[in-house]
Amino acid sequence: HIIINASPAGKMLEDILDAMLDIFQSDRAWLLFPGDPDSPYFTIRVESNRPQWPGFGASDERHPMDDQMKKHILGVLNTDEPVADDITTMPRPADEISIRFQVKSSIRMAIYPKIDQPWILGLHRCESNLPWQEDEKQLFKAIGRRISDGLNTMLLVQELKKANKTLLESEDQFLKIFHSSPIGIIMTNMRQFRIINVNQSFLNMTGFDETEVLGKSLLTDSFLFPSDHAPDKEWFKQQEHLNQLDVVFLNNRKEHRNGRLSSQWVMINTKKFVIFTIEDVTDYKKSETEKRAAQQHLAEQEKYALIGQVAGKIAHDFNNILGAIMGNTEISLMDCEDPEMEATLNLILDQTKKGR
């Protein structure tokens, strides 16, 4: 929700980190760039913290990349999962940063926008040393992926704006960024959202030929968005900036795909245009659905296993009771001289045997 409604993009990142402090009961959240151990420096581009727990502070200040920071960055670059340091990890001497900022528990992960180098997302707990639970790690990972998606759009728009400022001097620069981007890009006019240009990434993703899309209205002609999933054109006209809207789109085989759509108004030679970016997240959503189904199946199996254990214990205890009844009945039969009593004891013995 924060990503979709944020404007400008920098405020989006601040709002996400603010929310993460409450979600994860943390005291400091930060985004480090570049996530490159070979870089001579690093910067903290965005930071959110409780008033009593300040960190480096968000700025363009370049901090020296020492050996400890290199080790931390290599640790997250070498895994796809979040890296947590808390009371459950192996004891190790506290590093300089942990001592300086009174970090008792931390979690961090690498995020990989398609433009530029990796970033590092991290959280610090300074008030407590609570361990990071598995569901917290998975939620942290999911939020990191969405931040990566948001960074894609933010960095692309920044590049396009830079190119736009110097477009009169270097139109080639704008076109180079436009066509070399790994993200699908569509340029339309403002009035009817008629497509003026698309890049190769968009054509590769959808399978369309350039001649099939140029001149069509992105939001009203049903070639890209199914009629029952088409975004509202009038609403889009009011959105100067839009981040990561979940949409359903069609490829050239009319297959429904899941996508994330972003947009940004730009001025080119005194004319207003709209730059749309779209990413195919079908495979990602499918894997998440399969993962949830697997987790649900595992939970069901664990429930059935628990029921089996309880049933087995009850059966064992019941057999012990029946064994005692059988033993005492057999002893009683040995000394029984009353025919009626003997018949009753035999009946008890037969029933307990059946019960076992």
Side-chain angles (χ1 to χ4, degrees), residues 32-318:
L32 177 150
F33 179 85
D36 177 9
D38 295 325
S39 172
Y41 66 88
F42 67 90
T43 62
I44 303 298
R45 292 295 179 88
V46 189
E47 182 179 279
S48 177
N49 58 270
R50 310 287 184 192
Q52 67 272 34
W53 301 111
F56 279 107
S59 71
D60 292 328
E61 181 182 355
R62 296 184 174 187
H63 305 281
M65 182 73 74
D66 59 21
D67 290 339
Q68 290 179 338
M69 185 57 71
K70 286 183 181 180
K71 184 177 179 181
H72 283 312
I73 291 176
L74 280 171
V76 295
L77 293 179
N78 289 333
T79 177
D80 293 329
E81 299 298 323
V83 175
D85 285 325
D86 53 39
I87 58 174
T88 65
T89 58
M90 293 181 64
R92 59 172 64 90
D95 58 46
E96 183 180 342
I97 290 179
S98 296
I99 296 172
R100 176 180 173 184
F101 296 110
Q102 302 180 57
V103 180
K104 295 181 179 177
S105 177
S106 68
I107 189 170
R108 54 196 178 275
M109 67 175 286
I111 54 179
Y112 299 91
K114 294 181 180 178
I115 298 172
D116 217 335
Q117 295 173 290
W119 293 51
I120 308 296
L121 169 67
L123 291 173
H124 288 161
R125 286 173 175 164
C126 305
E127 196 76 43
S128 73
N129 61 352
L130 288 174
W132 299 94
Q133 304 299 322
E134 189 59 33
D135 58 341
E136 289 182 310
K137 293 178 183 179
Q138 293 307 312
L139 178 59
F140 181 76
K141 182 179 179 180
I143 293 175
R145 285 179 173 174
R146 290 308 302 266
I147 291 176
S148 179
D149 294 339
L151 281 172
N152 283 335
T153 303
M154 183 187 79
L155 296 172
L156 176 61
V157 169
Q158 287 178 354
E159 291 296 315
L160 290 174
K161 283 183 175 180
K162 288 177 185 178
N164 186 33
K165 288 180 181 179
T166 58
L167 188 60
L168 292 176
E169 301 173 2
S170 178
E171 187 173 349
D172 288 343
Q173 182 184 359
F174 180 87
L175 293 175
K176 183 177 179 181
I177 294 172
F178 183 88
H179 288 292
S180 64
S181 171
I183 302 170
I185 308 177
I186 312 159
M187 179 185 291
T188 75
N189 64 15
M190 278 287 296
R191 188 172 181 181
Q192 296 295 331
F193 297 101
R194 297 258 173 219
I195 297 176
I196 298 168
N197 204 350
V198 294
N199 70 349
Q200 191 60 46
S201 294
F202 170 80
L203 298 176
N204 293 341
M205 179 178 64
T206 60
F208 288 114
D209 186 83
E210 189 177 50
T211 57
E212 297 179 271
V213 299
L214 294 183
K216 288 189 176 181
S217 174
L218 179 66
L219 302 181
T220 55
D221 292 341
S222 299
F223 80 99
L224 186 62
F225 298 112
S227 56
D228 55 339
H229 289 88
D232 183 70
K233 183 175 73 172
E234 296 305 317
W235 180 77
F236 260 91
K237 283 184 177 180
Q238 302 172 26
Q239 309 302 314
E240 180 177 352
H241 175 84
L242 189 66
N243 255 326
Q244 300 295 309
L245 178 68
D246 286 324
V247 296
V248 174
F249 70 94
L250 299 170
N251 59 23
N252 66 334
R253 296 185 296 276
K254 300 299 181 183
E255 296 171 338
H256 285 60
R257 307 288 293 178
N258 297 111
R260 288 190 180 136
L261 186 72
S262 303
S263 67
Q264 175 71 48
W265 296 356
V266 295
M267 289 286 293
I268 301 177
N269 293 337
T270 72
K271 293 182 180 180
K272 274 188 178 181
F273 296 90
V274 185
I275 298 292
F276 289 91
T277 64
I278 186 167
E279 294 182 82
D280 190 334
V281 296
T282 305
D283 293 339
Y284 166 71
K285 287 204 167 189
K286 180 181 178 182
S287 67
E288 288 296 303
T289 301
E290 291 174 348
K291 181 179 178 180
R292 284 194 294 270
Q295 290 173 337
Q296 184 177 359
H297 177 71
L298 178 61
E300 290 288 331
Q301 295 302 311
E302 290 175 346
K303 180 178 71 175
Y304 293 142
L306 180 60
I307 292 172
Q309 291 173 7
V310 172
K313 188 176 187 307
I314 292 173
H316 178 73
D317 293 343
F318 189 62

